[in-house]
């Protein structure tokens, strides 16, 4: 499935995102497959999430668009008082994100393995992407925290 | 812990961390949302019409409905107004149309076609036990 840029027309980057102890400064995404980012966390009252799942190597299907689940069994809890969103599948939490303020978002828990992307982590252990661990790093002016070539 | 030490941590990066491999694991979420990979020639096959007998069957269905409404209306009319006559041939016309329709649909149902095979394949793929 091809996902067009039109899908993300309402995406507004966040200045600073702390993903499992790693700081992404100046906007940017967790992971890039070539130029495609399967997870986008945009600015809003609560974090605005776009999430795609990898149905085969580098073939994508959107499952969350602007905080709305596109498939059943996906549970999205929005807590506006805490400016927090939790996305889970059954009992497994895929993502917890909260806006600390309008320019800073915190992602204490992340597990994208259920979506076919081998990345998981939390604030204590850092991020694990294909056994590459990143902890307490700062990423300045980068488009992606983890990057990989797509053949 | 040893592995953690191998990775650059607590640093400022100005370029992404390059990850080797495909970073692909089995997507549990989409196991129940399998997609069918439809090549162009199969897509074109699906766009084709359903064949002559299906077309005749559909046309006959229209005639069956029209003649049935006509028969019903005339029968009802003849009960109310004695000048309206319900002729048997009108009912026979309905029966003939019905017969033609059933024959066409039956032939369409039993005759194999690429389109039907393809539809069946797609349905089977989506109904597969996971």
């Amino acid at each position: 499935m091809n996902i067009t840029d039109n899908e993300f027309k309402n995406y507004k980057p966040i200045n600073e995102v702390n993903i499992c102890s790693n700081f992404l400064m100046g906007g940017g995404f967790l992971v890039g497959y070539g130029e495609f980012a399967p997870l986008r966390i945009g600015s809003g009252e609560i974090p605005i999430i776009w999430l795609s799942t990898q149905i085969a190597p580098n073939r994508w299907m959107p499952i969350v668009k602007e905080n709305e689940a596109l498939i059943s069994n996906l549970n999205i809890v929005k807590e506006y008082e805490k400016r927090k969103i939790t996305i889970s599948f059954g009992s497994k939490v895929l993502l917890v994100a909260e806006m600390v303020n309008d320019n800073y978002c915190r992602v204490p828990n992340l597990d994208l393995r259920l979506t076919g992307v081998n990345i998981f982590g939390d604030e204590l252990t850092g991020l694990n992407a294909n056994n590459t661990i990143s902890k307490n790093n700062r990423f300045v002016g980068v488009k992606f925290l983890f990057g990989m070539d797509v053949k | 812990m040893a592995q953690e030490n191998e990775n650059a941590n607590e640093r400022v990066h100005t370029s992404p961390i390059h990850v080797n491999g495909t970073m692909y694991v089995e997507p549990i979420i989409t196991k129940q949302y399998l997609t069918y990979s439809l090549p162009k020639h199969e897509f074109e096959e699906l766009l084709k019409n359903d064949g002559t007998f299906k077309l005749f069957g559909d046309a006959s269905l229209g005639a069956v409905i029209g003649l049935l409404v006509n028969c019903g209306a005339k029968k009802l009319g003849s009960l109310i107004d004695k000048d309206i006559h319900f002729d048997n041939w009108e009912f026979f016309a309905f029966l003939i149309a019905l017969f033609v329709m059933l024959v066409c649909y039956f032939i369409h149902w039993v005759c194999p076609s690429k389109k039907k095979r393809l539809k069946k394949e797609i349905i089977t793929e989506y109904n597969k036990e996971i």
Side-chain angles (χ1 to χ4, degrees):
Chain A
M1 178 179 283
N2 286 326
I3 300 172
T4 59
D5 286 342
N6 199 38
E7 292 279 316
F8 310 113
K9 64 180 180 198
N10 294 327
Y11 170 76
K12 288 181 199 146
I14 304 171
N15 262 359
E16 192 176 345
V17 185
N18 173 357
I19 308 178
C20 304
S21 82
N22 295 279
F23 286 82
L24 255 170
M25 321 288 287
F29 308 111
L30 169 69
V31 60
Y33 284 72
E35 284 300 301
F36 179 70
L39 172 66
R40 288 174 186 236
I41 304 171
S43 179
E45 186 59 32
I46 58 171
I48 313 288
I49 309 292
W50 285 258
L51 180 62
S52 297
T53 181
Q54 192 170 206
I55 50 180
N58 206 34
R59 285 193 65 209
W60 301 93
M61 181 177 110
I63 55 169
V64 178
K65 185 184 175 186
E66 295 177 36
N67 293 351
E68 297 302 326
L70 303 178
I71 59 171
S72 55
N73 298 338
L74 205 59
N75 191 28
I76 300 181
V77 179
K78 301 165 198 169
E79 295 170 88
Y80 285 92
E81 317 80 58
K82 294 180 183 172
R83 304 190 74 180
K84 186 177 171 186
I85 185 165
T86 305
I87 302 175
S88 49
F89 183 78
S91 61
K92 301 214 170 181
V93 174
L94 300 182
L95 174 87
V96 178
E98 63 175 326
M99 297 297 293
V100 177
N101 59 50
D102 287 343
N103 296 312
Y104 176 43
C105 176
R106 192 174 144 253
V107 181
N109 281 300
L110 180 90
D111 191 345
L112 299 183
R113 286 174 293 185
L114 294 182
T115 67
V117 176
N118 193 14
I119 298 181
F120 61 95
D122 56 48
E123 282 185 330
L124 285 176
T125 57
L127 273 173
N128 183 323
N130 254 18
N131 295 323
T132 299
I133 295 167
S134 176
K135 191 178 169 188
N136 296 328
N137 286 312
R138 297 180 92 81
F139 295 80
V140 182
V142 296
K143 192 167 182 187
F144 303 111
L145 196 151
F146 290 114
M148 63 170 295
D149 297 326
V150 173
K151 285 159 194 164
Chain B
M1 201 63 191
Q3 192 171 30
E4 244 180 64
N5 292 336
E6 285 169 18
N7 296 287
N9 288 322
E10 296 180 29
R11 278 173 43 185
V12 175
H13 296 258
T14 52
S15 59
I17 296 176
H18 190 83
V19 178
N20 291 320
T22 59
M23 247 198 282
Y24 175 74
V25 285
E26 196 176 26
I28 306 296
I29 283 180
T30 41
K31 269 185 113 177
Q32 56 184 298
Y33 298 99
L34 288 173
T35 53
Y36 182 84
S37 179
L38 188 70
K40 191 167 181 269
H41 70 276
E42 290 187 350
F43 173 64
E44 283 165 355
E45 194 63 47
L46 288 176
L47 291 180
K48 287 181 185 171
N49 69 38
D50 289 311
T52 314
F53 286 103
K54 177 74 166 47
L55 285 176
F56 274 115
D58 290 343
S60 305
L61 175 64
V64 167
I65 293 168
L67 289 167
L68 184 66
V69 169
N70 179 63
C71 284
K74 272 212 162 172
K75 191 73 188 165
L76 192 67
S78 67
L79 293 174
I80 298 164
D81 185 349
K82 297 290 174 201
D83 291 335
I84 297 172
H85 298 287
F86 179 79
D87 297 321
N88 284 342
W89 68 264
E90 289 173 285
F91 184 65
F92 294 145
F94 161 75
L95 286 181
I96 290 167
L98 183 68
F99 177 74
V100 170
M101 183 196 78
L102 291 174
V103 168
C104 288
Y105 279 152
F106 179 74
I107 294 172
H108 169 72
W109 182 61
V110 293
C111 285
S113 81
K114 270 188 187 176
K115 187 174 177 175
K116 278 198 277 184
R117 180 190 52 77
L118 187 57
K119 277 183 176 175
K120 203 175 167 186
E121 263 178 34
I122 295 171
I123 291 165
T124 309
E125 183 67 25
Y126 281 120
N127 289 341
K128 231 191 253 177
E129 283 288 326
I130 298 166

